[in-house]
Amino acid sequence: MTDYVTVDDTETVLRDGTIKLHGPTGFEGMRKAGRLAAEILDAVAPLVQPGVTTASIDDVVRQMTLDAGAVPATLGYRGYAHSCCISINHVVCHGIPSDKTFKDGDIVNIDVTPLLDGWHGDSSRMYLVGDVPLKARRLVDVTYECLMIGIEQARPGARLGDIGAAIQAHAEKQRYGVVRDFCGHGLGRLFHDAPEVVHAARAGTGPELKPGMFFTIEPMINLGKPAVKILDDGWTAVTRDRSLSAQFEHSIGITEDGCEIFTTSPKGLHKPPYAA
Ligand code: MF3
Ligand code: CO
Ligand code: CO
């Protein structure tokens, strides 16, 4: 039994496990926050080059976010002290920006979440550094396909599990592993809210999707097995078998006849290569 609650301008920000159903104000807020997230991901594309530090990308993300009148939601989130996550190669997610530099052949995920006028735009994309081997480029392509196939399932009347089922089927067809330890999530005025959007599921299970639901889809797909472990820094998640991992993330809202993607790239930089 799933509870839904309709929210409006006067909403109190509850975190009570119910799935919120937003109206036009929410869609307007998410469009703006999502667009900013996408613009930031567009802006960093030319910067992902050999020798560039991940901390310098974090600086650009922070400055661009603040310049737009927003705040990076990750800054200070549960003790996290950075403006984005940068996850390279076998890092699955939550890679911490540092003085580490990109190397030729790396695959990189950058994940940003600007909080603009009270709304969270959460999105990530993969970037390729120099010459990336075919095997890694295929993983990146299929992971993007997984995200978009998941989004295709998102419409009123479908079940949440239809999304994970479609993603899992597509990934496992290529013998890739779907990460189970991290999920997509409801968002809006809150960064992480109900529902949990798992990326491996059974079709026809889970809550029914309804217009006004906002959530992310953010599959993490491994070249090897699904298992991850967290490093001693308490954040960095890596594949247990050290295989490469890729991820893309969009924030979406369920509409009357499908869904709206809030974080589409204005420059058409949907997936790499982002040739200049
Ligand atoms: N942006 C991530 C997500 O997609 C969350 C990062 S939380 C952090 O949900 F603290 F690690 F930054
Ligand atoms: Co997210
Ligand atoms: Co994110």
Side-chain angles (χ1 to χ4, degrees):
M1 168 69 197
T2 307
D3 288 322
Y4 302 90
V5 58
T6 305
V7 294
D8 61 24
D9 292 353
T10 61
E11 85 192 69
T12 42
V13 183
L14 297 171
R15 186 173 186 158
D16 57 3
T18 58
I19 301 176
K20 296 182 182 72
L21 303 178
H22 297 268
T25 305
F27 275 86
E28 220 13 78
M30 287 301 287
R31 252 171 230 139
K32 289 184 183 152
R35 182 176 175 96
L36 176 58
E39 286 170 348
I40 294 167
L41 294 178
D42 282 355
V44 297
L47 309 177
V48 182
Q49 300 292 342
V52 172
T53 69
T54 57
S56 73
I57 302 285
D58 191 62
D59 288 340
V60 170
V61 170
R62 184 177 56 258
Q63 202 50 56
M64 197 172 163
T65 306
L66 296 175
D67 287 349
V71 177
T74 55
L75 206 49
Y77 177 81
R78 297 182 181 202
Y80 193 80
H82 301 272
S83 301
C84 63
C85 298
I86 304 183
S87 303
I88 304 174
N89 294 337
H90 69 293
V91 179
V92 172
C93 62
H94 302 165
I96 302 174
S98 71
D99 57 10
K100 189 179 165 72
T101 57
F102 299 124
K103 303 277 181 292
D104 188 63
D106 284 347
I107 62 169
V108 178
N109 177 274
I110 302 179
D111 189 338
V112 301
T113 312
L115 169 58
L116 179 63
D117 298 336
W119 298 94
H120 291 82
D122 189 4
S123 187
S124 82
R125 288 181 215 154
M126 296 301 295
Y127 300 81
L128 307 178
V129 184
D131 266 329
V132 172
L134 180 61
K135 222 175 140 186
R137 281 187 278 134
R138 275 198 62 236
L139 173 68
V140 170
D141 278 345
V142 171
T143 303
Y144 180 76
E145 291 165 8
C146 283
L147 170 60
M148 299 316 286
I149 285 168
I151 290 174
E152 279 172 25
Q153 310 304 314
R155 58 179 178 276
R159 299 297 196 95
L160 195 61
D162 298 346
I163 294 171
I167 290 170
Q168 182 179 10
H170 191 64
E172 291 183 352
K173 208 169 6 180
Q174 339 282 326
R175 298 167 175 269
Y176 295 155
V178 179
V179 171
R180 309 300 206 271
D181 301 63
F182 300 97
C183 307
H185 49 92
L187 82 172
R189 293 197 174 278
L190 294 173
F191 187 175
H192 291 115
D193 200 357
E196 259 189 19
V197 181
V198 301
H199 303 110
R202 287 178 55 178
T205 64
E208 186 182 332
L209 303 185
K210 297 181 188 281
M213 285 179 56
F214 295 165
F215 55 85
T216 72
I217 305 178
E218 46 183 299
M220 284 142 275
I221 308 294
N222 301 344
L223 210 43
K225 298 212 158 61
V228 310
K229 67 174 181 189
I230 310 291
L231 300 187
D232 288 339
D233 61 27
W235 285 104
T236 313
V238 299
T239 54
R240 268 192 183 273
D241 61 11
R242 294 228 134 211
S243 65
L244 292 178
S245 186
Q247 178 181 30
F248 286 86
E249 174 177 28
H250 273 315
S251 297
I252 70 169
I254 303 297
T255 60
E256 293 299 326
D257 58 2
C259 72
E260 176 173 344
I261 304 175
F262 297 125
T263 45
T264 299
S265 166
K267 288 196 172 158
L269 306 183
H270 307 302
K271 63 169 187 126
Y274 308 117

